[in-house]
């Protein structure tokens, strides 16, 4: 068993499903051009080498530390600073693996103040594997289900309009208070392959965009 190589699959390549449970937007700085977010990055994959016969052993799940088995080397490419905490990895008898990593990430974002104080800002971050290309590892959004979808006004919604591909879990998101300078208005996700001059292989990534709108109270205070 190799902790440095992605698991070998019987057919095709390894697929890693990604969710992001957004808990808070900690800071938005138009002067220094960054946003800072906090949440749980959840990753799901299968490792056939770790499967066992549940009936024979009577064990459904085992827990490993992050350095005991292989785990995806996914990272946010635009990060300025990122702080994560050691996490445990859950492995099930079927070979299914789940890992949730709490992370606080500061991401650079080009701010456009042309319409200040009625401006909206669009900040993006990209998550993908640093070392493995698409022929070795695929990175895809993992649907959270309609129960976790929120509409543009951050109100709970279970309608058919909920995106099937949504990578966000907003069930625990704490919307910015009225005094916050910016309010979260929308989230967008695109899954695609990137190509680089160094290598002929594709590199799968998930691109995430935050739409942030300057809060009403901030506008009123600025006008007084």
């Amino acid at each position: 068993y190799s902790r440095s190589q992605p698991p070998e699959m019987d057919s095709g390549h390894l697929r890693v499903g990604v969710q992001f449970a957004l808990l808070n937007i900690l800071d938005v700085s138009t002067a220094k051009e960054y946003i800072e977010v906090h949440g749980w990055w959840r990753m799901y994959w299968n490792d056939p080498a770790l499967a066992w016969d549940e009936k024979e052993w009577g064990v459904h799940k085992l827990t490993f530390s992050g350095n005991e088995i292989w785990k995806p080397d996914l990272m946010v490419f635009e990060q300025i600073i990122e702080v994560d905490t050691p996490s445990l990895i859950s492995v099930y008898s079927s070979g299914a693996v789940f890992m949730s990593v709490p992370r606080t990430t500061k991401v650079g974002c080009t701010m456009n103040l042309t319409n200040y104080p009625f401006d909206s800002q669009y900040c993006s971050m990209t998550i993908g594997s640093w070392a493995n290309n698409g022929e070795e590892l695929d990175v895809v959004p993992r649907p959270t289900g309609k129960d976790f979808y929120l509409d543009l006004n951050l109100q709970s919604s279970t309608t058919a309009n909920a995106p099937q591909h949504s990578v966000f879990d907003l069930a625990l998101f704490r919307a910015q208070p009225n005094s916050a300078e910016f309010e979260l208005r929308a989230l967008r996700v695109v899954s695609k392959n990137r190509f680089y001059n160094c290598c002929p292989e594709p590199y799968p990534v998930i691109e995430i965009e935050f739409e942030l709108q300057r809060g009403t109270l901030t506008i009123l205070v600025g006008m007084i």
Side-chain angles (χ1 to χ4, degrees), residues 30 33 109-116 119-122 182 214:
T30 55
E33 295 193 308
C109 175
T110 301
M111 304 290 179
N112 185 345
L113 299 178
T114 302
N115 297 320
Y116 176 88
D119 53 313
S120 293
Q121 303 298 333
Y122 300 87
F182 283 91
R214 196 175 295 274

Side-chain angles (χ1 to χ4, degrees), residues 15-196:
R15 173 170 290 187
V16 178
V18 177
Q19 285 179 3
F20 184 43
L22 179 63
L23 301 184
N24 215 323
I25 297 178
L26 302 176
D27 192 13
V28 179
S29 174
T30 55
K32 297 183 179 179
E33 295 193 308
Y34 71 78
I35 63 169
E36 189 173 20
V37 299
H38 175 67
W40 303 327
W41 285 105
R42 299 169 178 162
M43 304 175 200
Y44 304 76
W45 69 96
N46 283 282
D47 192 334
L50 298 180
W52 68 89
D53 189 331
E54 182 176 341
K55 292 182 179 179
E56 179 179 354
W57 295 99
V59 177
H60 175 61
K61 183 183 79 169
L62 293 173
T63 302
F64 296 87
S65 64
N67 60 358
E68 289 184 296
I69 64 174
W70 179 89
K71 62 181 180 182
D73 64 336
L74 303 189
M75 64 177 296
V76 176
F77 295 164
E78 298 87 352
Q79 66 181 0
I80 300 173
I81 299 174
E82 185 168 69
V83 179
D84 60 8
T85 57
S87 59
L88 299 176
I89 304 176
S90 299
V91 180
Y92 297 86
S93 59
S94 64
V97 187
F98 167 70
M99 179 175 69
S100 181
V101 183
R103 286 179 177 170
T104 299
T105 308
K106 182 182 290 187
V107 178
C109 175
T110 301
M111 304 290 179
N112 185 345
L113 299 178
T114 302
N115 297 320
Y116 176 88
F118 304 99
D119 53 313
S120 293
Q121 303 298 333
Y122 300 87
C123 299
S124 300
M125 60 184 184
T126 307
I127 185 169
S129 172
W130 183 250
N132 299 114
N133 61 54
E135 295 180 1
E136 301 164 321
L137 185 153
D138 196 8
V139 182
V140 296
R142 180 182 171 91
T144 58
K146 296 179 181 179
D147 291 340
F148 294 121
Y149 175 64
L150 278 70
D151 63 19
L152 293 185
N153 295 316
L154 298 181
Q155 300 297 315
S156 296
S157 173
T158 56
T159 67
N161 294 327
Q164 297 292 329
H165 66 280
S166 177
V167 71
F168 291 99
D169 178 350
L170 296 175
L172 299 177
F173 176 71
R174 290 173 290 179
Q176 297 282 7
N178 292 333
S179 60
E181 185 176 6
F182 283 91
E183 300 170 354
L184 177 64
R185 299 299 297 163
L187 295 163
R188 302 180 182 89
V189 179
V190 175
S191 179
K192 62 192 294 185
N193 285 325
R194 281 188 176 181
F195 291 86
Y196 302 98

